[in-house]
Amino acid sequence: MYQQHFQLSRMPFGLTPDTTFFVPLQQHNDVLAVLKTALNAGEGFIKVCGEVGSGKTLLCRKLLQQTEPDWQLAYIPDPCLSPLELRWALALELGLKHSANIEPPQLLQLLQRQLMLLAGQGKKAIVLIDEAQALPDETLEALRLLTNLETEQRKLLQVVLFGQPELDSRLASYRFRQLRQRISFSCRLTLLNRQQVGAYLQQRLYQAGTQRMLFSRQALKALARYSRGVPRLVNILAHKALLLAFGEGKTHAGYQHVRLAAWDTEDVQPKPKAWWWYGLASVSVLAAGYAMAAGSQWLAGWMVL
């Protein structure tokens, strides 16, 4: 779209959790440090909670990249599993080779044996569960029972739960009091403050190929305000603001571009105050930006032909 206009090598504000765009802000570094310390110490349950769009999945993937030599990691991105499906997923992730027609008790025995084998090899079996607030109650209990397996020195399975604040509410219930007591480390991923929003944008732009700040000072303040420091919303608003600036042929995005982007974006609070034509203006300018981008791509393809 606007890559050539702003002299970028990549799109800087995509929504896919791409670890090449990981910004090592203080809160993210602190959570990673706690995770590594707890996992190396052999702790059973570790919990990381954060608001929607705060970067939990990106942090999870960053941890997957920074695995220690003695870690055997299992990653479960979709937690909507029954207890049996969870055991199957763990078995596959931990490298267990088995027949698909074995009975559930046999699968559990094979999984226990695999965990013992990994422990004998000096490996720590660790399962990372993203979106853990969606785990069914029975699956959470099955997960707790799996962590009962241990040697005299340490647990055979460690669990890291990445979840939204709803996970805390669920674990606070009487039913999960046993699991709650086994959570030895609990981290909360905080949102970005105004200064961090600027650092976040600058780093993403640098990774995309430019050292120029493409947002005015007032635009940065507006981005911090309307996004509430949520990285996902920062990305959405920054992308739309650059698209609007591109549509007008500007060299950087200003305050008005961010306001138009905020008006066009869901979950932005507070919404910019505007007249009835304000939203229509944002839609029309965004449409013009997309049309220009599409026209540029068509022309480039025609020239190649």
Side-chain angles (χ1 to χ4, degrees):
M1 294 181 180
Y2 48 71
Q3 286 179 237
Q4 185 175 0
H5 178 75
F6 292 113
Q7 300 178 349
L8 300 170
S9 59
R10 303 175 61 187
M11 295 297 286
F13 301 114
L15 297 184
T16 304
D18 185 349
T19 54
T20 59
F21 281 103
F22 176 77
V23 181
L25 297 173
Q26 185 64 47
Q27 54 265 56
H28 297 90
N29 285 336
D30 288 346
V31 172
L32 275 175
V34 170
L35 286 171
K36 290 180 180 179
T37 299
L39 291 174
N40 285 324
E43 302 294 346
F45 270 92
I46 306 149
K47 176 171 62 69
V48 178
C49 276
E51 278 294 340
V52 177
S54 60
K56 299 181 297 297
T57 299
L58 184 60
L59 200 64
C60 182
R61 293 189 180 182
K62 193 67 177 177
L63 184 63
L64 285 168
Q65 285 186 344
Q66 297 181 359
T67 178
E68 300 287 342
D70 62 340
W71 291 3
Q72 182 70 39
L73 291 178
Y75 175 49
I76 299 180
D78 180 8
C80 296
L81 304 171
S82 68
L84 180 58
E85 289 170 336
L86 174 70
R87 295 186 190 108
W88 279 107
L90 276 176
L92 291 172
E93 286 287 311
L94 294 176
L96 181 61
K97 300 186 183 299
H98 52 78
S99 172
N101 58 1
I102 63 174
E103 295 296 322
Q106 292 176 294
L107 174 62
L108 183 56
Q109 290 177 359
L110 289 172
L111 186 55
Q112 292 173 349
R113 190 178 305 168
Q114 181 71 359
L115 290 172
M116 291 292 294
L117 179 63
L118 290 171
Q121 296 172 349
K123 295 277 189 179
K124 294 184 175 73
I126 301 166
V127 56
L128 310 179
I129 301 181
D130 203 4
E131 302 292 348
Q133 75 282 347
L135 280 165
D137 289 355
E138 295 77 12
T139 306
L140 265 173
E141 179 61 15
L143 195 59
R144 181 188 70 82
L145 292 174
L146 279 175
T147 61
N148 281 341
L149 301 171
E150 57 189 359
T151 65
E152 292 183 357
Q153 288 79 31
R154 61 184 175 90
K155 296 284 186 182
L156 293 180
L157 180 66
Q158 296 173 263
V159 180
V160 184
L161 301 173
F162 292 87
Q164 296 169 16
E166 292 85 343
L167 178 62
D168 283 333
S169 301
R170 289 187 61 202
L171 294 178
S173 69
Y174 181 78
R175 175 175 183 174
F176 295 117
R177 65 192 185 283
Q178 290 178 299
L179 190 154
R180 191 169 61 246
Q181 288 184 2
R182 297 192 183 192
I183 298 174
S184 51
F185 283 86
S186 183
C187 307
R188 180 164 293 276
L189 195 57
T190 58
L191 301 179
L192 313 183
N193 59 36
R194 182 179 295 180
Q195 290 72 27
Q196 288 177 326
V197 167
Y200 177 85
L201 291 166
Q202 185 68 75
Q203 180 66 23
R204 303 245 344 177
L205 288 169
Y206 176 77
Q207 293 294 338
T210 182
Q211 295 186 10
R212 293 191 302 128
M213 171 51 77
L214 300 180
F215 300 91
S216 70
R217 183 174 300 179
Q218 292 302 316
L220 290 175
K221 290 181 180 179
L223 278 166
R225 180 190 179 203
Y226 292 128
S227 69
R228 308 188 304 280
V230 178
R232 182 180 295 156
L233 285 177
V234 173
N235 285 357
I236 292 173
L237 293 174
H239 169 68
K240 288 183 177 180
L242 288 181
L243 186 60
L244 288 163
F246 164 63
E248 295 179 359
K250 303 290 187 181
T251 58
H252 65 276
Y255 171 72
Q256 194 71 357
H257 299 126
V258 176
R259 287 197 71 187
L260 286 167
W263 184 267
D264 185 64
T265 302
E266 296 292 333
D267 198 37
V268 168
Q269 295 295 333
K271 279 285 187 182
K273 294 181 180 179
W275 293 277
W276 64 270
W277 50 264
Y278 199 82
L280 182 61
S282 68
V283 172
S284 62
V285 178
L286 280 169
Y290 277 110
M292 289 180 64
S296 300
Q297 291 172 357
W298 177 85
L299 180 59
W302 181 83
M303 292 175 67
V304 170
L305 292 175

